[in-house]
Amino acid sequence: MAGIIGYGVFIPRFRIKVEEIARVWGKDAARVSSGLGIKEKAVAAFDEDSATIAVEASRNAIESSGVNPDDIGAVFVGSESKPYAVKPTATIVGDAVGASPVMTAADFEFACKAGTTGIQTCMGMVDSGMIKVGLAVGSDTAQGRPNDALEFSAGSGGAAFLIGNDKPIALIEDTYSFTTDTPDFWRRQHAEFPRHAGRFTAEPAYFRHVLSAAEGLLKKIGKKANDFDHVVFHQPNGKFPQAAAKKLGVDAEKIKTGLLTPMIGNTYSGAAMVGLAAVLDVAKPNDEVLVVSYGSGAGSDAFSIKVTKEIEKKRSKPSVQELVAEKEYIDYALYVKHRQKLKALGD
Amino acid sequence: MRDALPLIWRKIPERYTLLGSHCNNCKTDYFPQRTICPHCRSKGKLVDKQMPREGKVYSFTEVHSGPAGFQHETPYFLAIIELPNKVKVLSQLVDSSKDKVKVGAPVKMVFRRIFADGAEGVIAYGFKFKVVN
């Protein structure tokens, strides 16, 4: 199967602490923070959106891997916070990275897993010989309604993966998806903020799909979850991935490298992909990685990935941990300004 | 609405990728693009060339009274960036704390929103620069 030939990440610089959001709404900050397993989240500035994040992540992927942008035959951007309701972000990315005009492109939407579906699409196109290299991006500036539980977790960030056959840094050995119609989280047409079904988002939604996709893949390839060196789950908060690891018998240590939500929040379409990027930043040749994304609505894509010796030459710069460390704290008032929640302001 | 669509579309190569010009006769780089080399005139041979994406602050100012569309961004830094090929580019500086914005500070290009043509119009994206360590 096609492999990963490059990757890149972008995380905006601003952070807001959970305790600052809790202060505004009169919540017990320590309780919220430990309940969600989140300390702070990344916040996109007024001039950042899922398109600018997608471009920055894609440029980091291309520059770090040395892939020729002319070889990119497909660009797919997964997001649930598109700057345009109608007009592709993928064309902005294509032009900005120099892959245009001879390429196909589209935006994917599947809550938090559209980016990994982009990876699967690129794999199919590469393996069939339709394209030489595909660019799959997961990027979001996630929206949380003020004083909603999501406001504590909805972060901003993204990751880009170049899929191809030429000297892969990691081989995608197999992929398996589990998808049903499960309305646990949604945003209706013209609605500004998503709605969610509270606790319903856990057992019948996140856990059913993540565990089924993981178990389906493991059965297909004849492995156990704990056989992998690193495991990355979709991370809507800091707690769900830990519970998923426990249910699959994965050592708690193995999910640590790929668990970024406690420090940057849930980057939605970017979440599992940023986690995988963080693993690739430190992985050794022959390390095996299990990645399971999750998108509400609902579905999971599971991947079995094996790192090659090419990783030593093409680790992405800046690294995920460098991006996590580069931060500037803002208070709730500046958060409201940057995320354009002040409706009286006008244009 | 500024009805700025033609301008926004025409400037995409320049704003997205710092696409400038290079004269194959006198080997000089230009940004923004030129149709005629001012040194070589009719003997000039201009071709497209992407400018380097890293440079240093040549001069800067802090804007406290922004024009329409930028009034909510104040105060912000506007800088002349000198690239390694001596080309100078006018750009906003973002993600740069006040104490780091100095003449000679190293900067790199980032991709940001420049402005939106009203709430329903097209969004202009392009380069800004940030100070790097």
Side-chain angles (χ1 to χ4, degrees):
Chain A
M1 279 192 175
I4 297 164
I5 60 170
Y7 70 101
V9 169
F10 184 75
I11 299 164
R13 176 185 168 93
F14 290 138
R15 300 283 184 282
I16 187 165
K17 291 183 176 176
V18 161
E19 68 179 72
E20 170 65 5
I21 301 172
R23 178 185 69 83
V24 171
W25 300 113
K27 300 267 169 65
D28 181 339
R31 204 172 152 204
V32 173
S33 186
S34 71
L36 291 172
I38 296 176
K39 289 178 186 158
E40 56 199 47
K41 68 171 188 174
V43 179
F46 67 87
D47 62 350
E48 291 178 300
D49 57 30
S50 57
T52 67
I53 291 169
V55 168
E56 293 283 359
S58 302
R59 280 184 175 162
N60 288 341
I62 290 167
E63 284 167 19
S64 303
S65 64
V67 166
N68 180 354
D70 284 338
D71 288 342
I72 297 172
V75 177
F76 300 116
V77 179
S79 183
E80 62 97 78
S81 50
K82 284 158 54 76
Y84 291 95
V86 177
K87 192 210 161 293
T89 301
T91 56
I92 299 170
V93 174
D95 254 31
V97 303
S100 294
V102 185
M103 59 169 208
T104 188
D107 291 356
F108 287 177
E109 191 281 314
F110 195 146
C112 298
K113 84 152 187 109
T116 57
T117 307
I119 291 177
Q120 290 178 322
T121 309
C122 287
M123 288 169 64
M125 294 181 78
V126 168
D127 285 338
S128 68
M130 280 178 74
I131 58 169
K132 188 175 177 192
V133 178
L135 173 62
V137 188
S139 165
D140 262 308
T141 55
Q143 299 293 312
R145 189 187 300 274
N147 199 19
D148 182 276
L150 283 180
E151 194 180 26
F152 293 102
S153 61
S156 301
F161 282 79
L162 289 156
I163 306 299
N165 276 322
D166 189 23
K167 293 181 184 163
I169 57 172
L171 301 167
I172 302 174
E173 295 187 318
D174 215 333
T175 180
Y176 182 99
S177 295
F178 185 89
T179 311
T180 71
D181 184 357
T182 305
D184 59 324
F185 167 103
W186 62 90
R187 180 164 63 83
R188 291 279 300 276
Q189 188 79 284
H190 309 303
E192 190 168 355
F193 296 105
R195 300 262 306 259
H196 59 91
R199 281 164 194 252
F200 183 74
T201 60
E203 287 302 331
Y206 178 89
F207 290 105
R208 181 183 176 214
H209 294 81
V210 166
L211 299 178
S212 298
E215 284 162 354
L217 177 69
L218 294 168
K219 192 176 172 192
K220 192 177 168 193
I221 61 176
K223 278 187 182 168
K224 291 197 176 95
N226 210 31
D227 292 343
F228 291 85
D229 300 289
H230 298 276
V231 179
V232 180
F233 294 110
H234 174 56
Q235 37 207 273
N237 52 53
K239 288 293 183 68
F240 279 18
Q242 292 177 25
K246 203 171 175 185
K247 286 178 193 229
L248 284 169
V250 174
D251 296 344
E253 204 61 30
K254 291 186 177 179
I255 65 164
K256 273 193 175 170
T257 308
L259 184 55
L260 282 306
T261 294
M263 301 309 289
I264 60 171
N266 176 9
T267 53
Y268 284 51
S269 299
M273 294 168 77
V274 173
L276 172 59
V279 167
L280 292 175
D281 282 346
V282 298
K284 297 187 288 295
N286 296 320
D287 272 3
E288 293 186 296
V289 190
L290 173 65
V291 180
V292 190
S293 66
Y294 172 74
S296 288
S300 279
D301 303 323
F303 300 84
S304 169
I305 293 169
K306 187 168 186 175
V307 179
T308 75
K309 61 180 187 336
E310 288 293 320
I311 188 72
E312 310 278 14
K313 300 177 207 160
K314 297 175 188 168
R315 291 196 206 273
S316 190
K317 294 225 170 3
S319 71
V320 174
Q321 285 304 331
E322 284 167 343
L323 288 161
V324 169
E326 188 188 337
K327 59 186 173 185
E328 180 180 340
Y329 288 110
I330 56 173
D331 63 11
Y332 195 85
L334 279 174
Y335 165 73
V336 163
K337 176 184 166 184
H338 280 288
R339 296 312 305 137
Q340 290 150 34
K341 290 173 196 272
L342 277 172
K343 293 303 154 202
L345 192 62
D347 285 344
Chain B
M1 290 281 280
R2 302 180 207 184
D3 203 16
L5 181 58
L7 180 72
I8 291 171
W9 179 70
R10 279 193 203 107
K11 281 187 176 290
I12 282 177
E14 172 189 323
R15 284 186 173 149
Y16 282 22
T17 63
L18 276 180
L19 190 71
S21 305
H22 174 76
C23 177
N24 270 335
N25 193 37
C26 68
K27 312 295 179 196
T28 310
D29 289 343
Y30 298 102
F31 184 88
Q33 287 203 309
R34 298 239 186 194
T35 47
I36 293 172
C37 174
H39 298 302
C40 308
R41 305 283 174 168
S42 62
K43 288 177 187 162
K45 286 173 186 152
L46 287 175
V47 292
D48 289 353
K49 185 182 175 186
Q50 279 188 12
M51 298 292 110
R53 293 179 179 181
E54 291 179 358
K56 59 184 182 181
V57 175
Y58 178 82
S59 182
F60 70 91
T61 186
E62 190 171 15
V63 178
H64 287 269
S65 181
F70 296 83
Q71 68 272 37
H72 304 312
E73 298 180 23
T74 56
Y76 59 87
F77 290 107
L78 204 55
I80 297 171
I81 309 298
E82 187 175 63
L83 304 175
N85 56 0
K86 300 294 171 196
V87 166
K88 293 187 181 73
V89 178
L90 182 68
S91 171
Q92 274 180 271
L93 285 181
V94 292
D95 281 2
S96 307
S97 51
K98 226 170 182 172
D99 57 315
K100 286 190 175 169
V101 178
K102 290 173 182 161
V103 170
V107 291
K108 75 165 194 175
M109 188 184 89
V110 296
F111 188 81
R112 295 296 181 97
R113 275 182 186 228
I114 310 281
F115 65 90
D117 199 359
E120 295 189 5
V122 75
I123 302 164
Y125 291 95
F127 66 82
K128 294 183 184 180
F129 279 79
K130 68 174 273 191
V131 176
V132 290
N133 294 323

